[in-house]
């Protein structure tokens, strides 16, 4: 470790520090996964599995569902399948796809805690409450344990502690090579689902959020901003302007037994990441956490990682190969603003999984047919311009408080438009008309907004964003 990070070393175990370093190395692509263009099973081969799921994180929901449809499924992970969870939140209604998929009879049983409402608060600006989004804490362990058990009961092959080394695609399937305890293990499948999250070789994101934090105990409770209100989820909160060249943002939500999960993150272009993004951010987390929530906190469980984000102003990640489909964070179909990958996964997995069953039954596993399994939520098509504003380093000469002022204007407009629109925005589901009203209202509050947004975008990005906005308008106009 080139720097010292004294607070982080004191608060985290040696094992966690080692895992943090390995994540940083993997993210910087110092341990690339080899991909061969050809060399997989030939036409007419009978692969061992219909579907191989690479990565048993949240994408396990695909593995469990596909196995239950009777497909031959293998799931592998470099850690234990189904253990890589964080603390996740969502709204009650959004859990419905788990019931529709017959994976959970009563998905509400997965909820540990439900808040009165969520808030967004900008330093030097206002606090904007929203109901019905991100207001339920899901018991992630129970969810993943149950998915693992369902996959196993349906006959899926689970391979714990197997790391993807390489894969190659042939006309008859995909051949996957795994490292396991010094040996190489080979699997063949008709289709590979890449659920490797930010570690996927295809996750070519143009923004990312290094995110650190964890479950804390011992924080002061009460109604002040720097105290924990057990009935309030904090979706996005800033406690200062740009410092050290970054706009840091907090997210926090209470858990069971007086605990509180707090995350600190910032938006950055991957090329501008420092050598130790997670360690550096943890050091800041421990130093500045009392600005966010006061009290003598103990770190009960650290959680951290890189969340990929996509402005959609550059090409989206996609497998360049037939027979491979990206899912979850690797596919990046979540908001580049709120990065609610959990909500996005639960909302999207069932239509995609059903489309996969259809593609497998008709043997249409070419790149184009697989990519068409995805349907892009409307809000995602036009959010990128706003997200770019959050990236210090773009748009030289901006004042340190610009990002807070801009976001304050944006969220004041959303709050004014009413809960339905505000909640739809956070869920990536805002429609064209509401988006236009939102832009109009925000511009009335901050007349320089278009100059500011366009100043941080290249001409190509402006053209692409305008085209996406026009296309969204056309699509929604045609569908009435
Ligand atoms: C700290 C943090 C907090 C978050 N909080 C929230 C939240 O509150 N709400 C929300 O909606 N979303 C949240 N997210 C996002 C959410 O967790 C992700 O969107 C979701 O986990 C994505 O699921 P996934 O299956 O695509 O990837 P992951 O859950 O990241 O799983 C990827 C899996 O692939 C495995 N893997 C990686 N490389 C290899 C390899 N070479 N070989 C084998 N296995 C490999 C990993 O071990 C892991 O198990 C958070 C993310 C982070 C990092």
């Amino acid at each position: 470790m080139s720097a010292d990070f004294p607070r982080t070393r004191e608060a985290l175990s040696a094992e966690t520090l080692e895992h943090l370093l390995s994540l940083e190395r993997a993210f910087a692509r110092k341990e690339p996964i080899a991909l061969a263009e050809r060399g997989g099973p030939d036409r007419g081969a009978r692969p061992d599995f219909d579907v191989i799921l690479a990565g048993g994180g949240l994408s396990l929901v695909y593995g469990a569902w596909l196995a239950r449809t009777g497909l031959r499924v293998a799931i592998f992970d470099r850690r234990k399948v189904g253990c890589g969870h964080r603390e996740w939140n969502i709204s009650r209604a959004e859990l419905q796809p788990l019931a529709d998929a017959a994976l959970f009879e009563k998905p509400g049983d997965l909820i540990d805690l439900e808040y009165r409402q969520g808030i967004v608060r900008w330093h030097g600006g206002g606090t904007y409450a929203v109901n019905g989004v991100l207001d339920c804490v899901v018991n992630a362990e129970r969810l993943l344990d149950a998915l693992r058990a369902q996959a196993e009961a349906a006959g899926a092959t689970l391979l714990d502690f197997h790391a993807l080394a390489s894969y190659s695609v042939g006309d008859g399937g995909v051949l996957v090579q795994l490292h396991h305890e010094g040996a190489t293990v080979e699997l063949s499948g008709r289709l590979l689902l890449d659920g490797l999250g930010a570690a996927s070789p295809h996750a070519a994101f143009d923004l990312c959020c290094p995110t650190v934090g964890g479950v804390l105990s011992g924080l002061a409770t009460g109604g002040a901003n720097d105290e924990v209100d057990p009935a309030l989820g904090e979706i996005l909160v800033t406690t200062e302007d740009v410092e050290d060249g970054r706009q840091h943002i907090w997210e926090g939500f209470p858990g069971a037994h007086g605990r509180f999960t707090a995350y600190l993150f910032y938006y950055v272009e991957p090329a501008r990441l420092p050598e130790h993004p997670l360690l550096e951010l943890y050091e800041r987390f421990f130093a500045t956490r009392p600005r966010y929530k006061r009290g003598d906190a103990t770190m009960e469980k650290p959680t951290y990682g890189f969340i990929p984000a996509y402005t959609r102003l550059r090409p989206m990640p996609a497998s360049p190969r037939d027979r491979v489909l990206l899912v979850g964070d690797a596919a990046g179909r979540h908001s580049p603003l709120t990065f609610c990958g959990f909500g996005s996964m639960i909302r999207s997995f069932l239509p995609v999984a059903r489309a996969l069953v259809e593609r497998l039954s008709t043997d249409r596993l070419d790149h184009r047919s697989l990519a068409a399994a995805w349907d892009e939520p409307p809000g995602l098509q036009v959010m990128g311009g706003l997200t770019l504003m959050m990236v210090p380093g773009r748009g030289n000469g901006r004042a340190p408080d610009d990002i807070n002022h801009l976001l304050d204007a944006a969220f004041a407009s959303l709050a004014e438009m009413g809960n339905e629109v505000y909640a739809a925005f956070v869920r990536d589901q805002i429609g064209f008309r509401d988006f236009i009203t939102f832009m109009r209202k925000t511009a009335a509050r901050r007349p320089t907004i278009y100059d500011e947004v366009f100043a941080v975008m290249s001409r190509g990005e402006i053209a692409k964003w305008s085209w996406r906005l026009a296309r969204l308008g056309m699509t929604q106009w045609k569908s009435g």
Side-chain angles (χ1 to χ4, degrees):
M1 229 182 280
S2 58
D4 207 6
F5 310 115
R7 293 184 180 87
T8 310
R9 280 171 180 279
E10 198 189 316
L12 305 181
S13 69
E15 195 189 348
T16 303
L17 288 170
E18 198 39 56
H19 187 237
L20 275 164
L21 282 169
S22 77
L23 267 188
E24 289 182 341
R25 278 196 302 270
F27 197 73
R29 294 288 183 270
K30 286 174 191 142
E31 295 158 1
I33 291 165
L35 306 172
E37 277 298 334
R38 290 277 139 190
D42 291 330
R43 192 180 298 280
R46 276 196 48 80
D48 308 326
F49 297 97
D50 294 309
V51 179
I52 299 176
L53 171 60
L58 182 56
S59 301
L60 192 49
V61 68
Y62 280 96
W65 193 83
L66 292 169
R68 291 189 55 172
T69 63
L71 292 167
R72 297 166 302 152
V73 174
I75 307 167
F76 69 86
D77 198 291
R78 63 181 170 195
R79 296 195 282 167
K80 190 172 172 215
V81 169
C83 92
H85 59 78
R86 292 116 190 176
E87 310 303 306
W88 286 315
N89 48 2
I90 195 167
S91 65
R92 188 173 279 274
E94 286 174 288
L95 287 172
Q96 184 56 30
L98 293 174
D100 298 343
L103 287 169
F104 292 87
E105 205 179 314
K106 291 186 195 157
D109 291 351
L110 293 167
I111 297 172
D112 266 353
L113 201 72
E114 197 162 352
Y115 316 125
R116 186 178 71 244
Q117 58 187 183
I119 56 127
V120 170
R121 176 183 299 129
W122 303 111
H123 181 65
T127 298
Y128 305 102
V130 61
N131 294 311
V133 277
L134 299 171
D135 55 358
C136 296
V137 180
V138 163
N139 189 316
E141 212 164 329
R142 209 181 312 144
L143 169 69
L144 292 187
D145 282 354
L147 290 174
R148 182 184 163 108
Q150 294 204 26
E152 237 170 348
T157 300
L158 301 191
L159 300 157
D160 297 325
F161 306 107
H162 284 66
L164 179 61
S166 67
Y167 76 79
S168 42
V169 180
D171 290 336
V174 186
L175 185 69
V176 176
Q177 292 195 315
L178 309 173
H179 284 320
H180 176 62
E181 294 178 349
T184 300
V185 176
E186 283 193 348
L187 302 177
S188 62
R190 294 175 63 204
L191 173 69
L192 176 67
L193 280 190
D194 178 345
L196 297 171
S200 159
H202 302 298
F205 32 87
D206 57 3
L207 285 181
C208 71
C209 291
T211 306
V212 303
V215 182
L216 301 170
S217 63
L219 292 169
T221 51
N225 288 356
D226 65 352
E227 293 170 339
V228 172
D229 177 345
L232 208 61
E234 305 196 352
I235 300 169
L236 297 166
V237 172
T238 53
T239 50
E240 67 276 310
D241 295 324
V242 171
E243 280 182 8
D244 302 328
R246 294 180 191 130
Q247 179 63 64
H248 294 91
I249 302 176
W250 292 93
E251 178 186 350
F253 42 98
H257 315 299
R259 294 183 170 175
F260 187 74
T261 299
Y263 292 126
L264 182 65
F265 65 93
Y266 62 90
Y267 294 85
V268 65
E269 288 168 299
R272 290 174 184 258
L273 277 170
E275 189 185 354
H276 289 298
L278 298 179
L279 288 167
E280 217 176 76
L281 192 57
Y282 253 132
E283 199 60 15
R284 185 181 177 94
F285 177 94
F286 292 117
T288 63
R289 190 271 306 153
R291 282 188 204 168
Y292 176 47
K293 296 292 167 201
R294 66 182 181 82
D296 230 350
T298 305
M299 173 66 81
E300 301 287 346
K301 183 184 146 208
T303 38
Y304 44 81
F306 292 95
I307 307 181
Y310 304 85
T311 59
R312 284 154 178 84
L313 300 174
R314 284 162 238 159
M316 283 293 289
S319 156
R321 292 161 177 76
D322 295 344
R323 296 182 178 276
V324 181
L325 184 72
L326 314 188
V327 293
D329 275 10
R333 279 359 197 228
H334 54 278
S335 160
L337 184 65
T338 56
F339 70 78
C340 298
F342 176 66
S344 145
M345 174 80 89
I346 301 300
R347 285 192 292 271
S348 64
F349 88 91
L350 193 52
V352 177
R354 284 184 175 138
L356 288 181
V357 171
E358 189 272 329
R359 304 293 194 276
L360 281 159
S361 68
T362 51
D363 212 21
R364 288 189 300 133
L365 300 174
D366 59 283
H367 175 236
R368 201 176 275 261
S369 304
L370 288 175
W374 280 105
D375 193 12
E376 182 97 320
L380 292 188
Q381 312 201 16
V382 288
M383 205 87 87
L386 185 61
T387 313
L388 278 181
M389 281 297 299
M390 318 262 278
V391 185
R394 278 199 164 226
N396 289 333
R398 290 161 68 192
D401 58 0
D402 270 354
I403 295 181
N404 275 313
H405 284 319
L406 178 107
L407 290 168
D408 191 60
F411 278 81
S413 305
L414 287 170
E416 190 186 302
M417 289 170 74
N419 195 72
E420 207 178 311
V421 174
Y422 186 177
F425 180 90
V426 179
R427 284 194 304 262
D428 313 326
Q429 288 166 333
I430 190 166
F432 177 74
R433 280 207 190 96
D434 287 334
F435 192 76
I436 297 290
T437 311
F438 159 68
M439 290 204 304
R440 214 168 25 76
K441 282 183 180 290
T442 309
R445 284 192 162 80
R446 190 167 170 93
T448 51
I449 188 165
Y450 292 111
D451 294 342
E452 291 177 88
V453 172
F454 290 147
V456 300
M457 293 163 82
S458 67
R459 278 195 194 158
E461 287 168 345
I462 294 171
K464 185 129 191 205
W465 182 80
S466 309
W467 176 78
R468 277 183 165 273
L469 185 64
R471 198 182 57 168
L472 179 64
M474 287 293 284
T475 319
Q476 297 209 335
W477 179 68
K478 274 191 204 152
S479 63

